Amino acid sequence: MPINIGKAREFVYRQGTLFERALFAWLFDSGSLERLQQIILCYKNPDDGFGHGFEHDLKAPQSNPLALEYLLGVMKHCSIPVGRLLDGTADWVDSQMNEDGALRNPPQTRDYPLAPWWQESGGQTQPDSIVGNLIRFDRASSSLVQKTKTWVMDNVTIESIQSNEWLFMAYHATDFFFAIDDFPALAEYQRATIDNILACASAMPEAQYDSLFTFAPTPDSMIARALPASTLERCLDYLTGAQQSDGYWRDQHDLPQWYPITTINALLALRRHDRC
């Protein structure tokens, strides 16, 4: 069945957040970039961090690392220009770092709806993806980079990268080791990251197929070229046939709050790989 972008639009506009609707408009309907950026800034606090439920799993209005991590990931994946979005962000991250480089979460996160898997920590504490993407966007200070390098050296090993069994979680290593250019044995960490992604991709269940395009966004991207062609085609075939009658794509955990962004990501992957 051909992709029905009209039904996808209808679903995102009916069920998505204002940000998700603006993102859909910018990506697929020649919508305003300025409006999209203005809406993102509505999630930004005076301390230059982001909150207000931008990431669906943590609804607290206070600035928190999870909201920023999610924003940076979406900006990277969707190629959203930085503009003023990240002004002051590096200083905010620096202010949330413990001596060991781990990130603090405001205690108020537990006063608001919070996904059960974040209850113990109160939110994201790992700095690697956040700082890696700030490096990518040329918004990371030298002190922030150094603190994060120390945290990574103390907490991430070749073995821990290789032992990852969930494709989605490979974003931590990918975002950091392919953004930084000065790290001990960097090539070995990069090779381990690639090998882990390929191993996870070969074993992933159908529900996770959309995750592959986080790492293989375009046909000429590094992971897309490293993958067996059959794996990439299998995932694209699945996505092509996975649009639901109401226009959306399911997320891998079948959580409705994630359907709009999953729909956007599925359409973007199919367009980039010439399937729609």
Side-chain angles (χ1 to χ4, degrees), residues 154-175:
D154 290 341
N155 291 275
V156 181
T157 64
I158 298 290
E159 293 72 24
S160 69
I161 293 172
Q162 293 171 331
S163 67
N164 173 50
E165 296 181 347
W166 182 13
L167 178 60
F168 170 77
M169 290 302 293
Y171 78 90
H172 282 284
T174 303
D175 289 348

Side-chain angles (χ1 to χ4, degrees), residues 190-204:
Q190 291 176 335
R191 185 70 253 171
T193 301
I194 294 171
D195 289 346
N196 178 252
I197 291 171
L198 298 179
C200 288
S202 70
M204 64 184 169

Side-chain angles (χ1 to χ4, degrees), residues 75 89 91 98 101 106 108 111 116 132 151 163-164 182 201 211-212 219 268:
M75 289 175 62
T89 301
D91 290 339
N98 296 319
Q108 297 95 328
D111 296 334
W151 182 91
S163 67
N164 173 50
D182 179 19
S211 295
L212 183 63
L268 189 58

Side-chain angles (χ1 to χ4, degrees), residues 48-89:
D48 289 323
F50 290 83
H52 303 283
F54 189 72
E55 208 276 5
H56 294 301
D57 289 346
L58 199 162
K59 297 296 188 181
Q62 288 81 12
S63 298
N64 60 84
L66 185 61
L68 175 60
E69 181 185 75
Y70 179 62
L71 170 62
L72 292 170
V74 174
M75 289 175 62
K76 172 192 169 189
H77 186 65
C78 297
S79 301
I80 300 174
V82 174
R84 298 183 295 112
L85 297 179
L86 302 180
D87 290 358
T89 301

Side-chain angles (χ1 to χ4, degrees), residues 97-102 104 147 150-151:
M97 272 191 166
N98 296 319
E99 285 297 317
D100 65 354
R104 294 189 299 275
K147 288 178 185 178
T150 300
W151 182 91

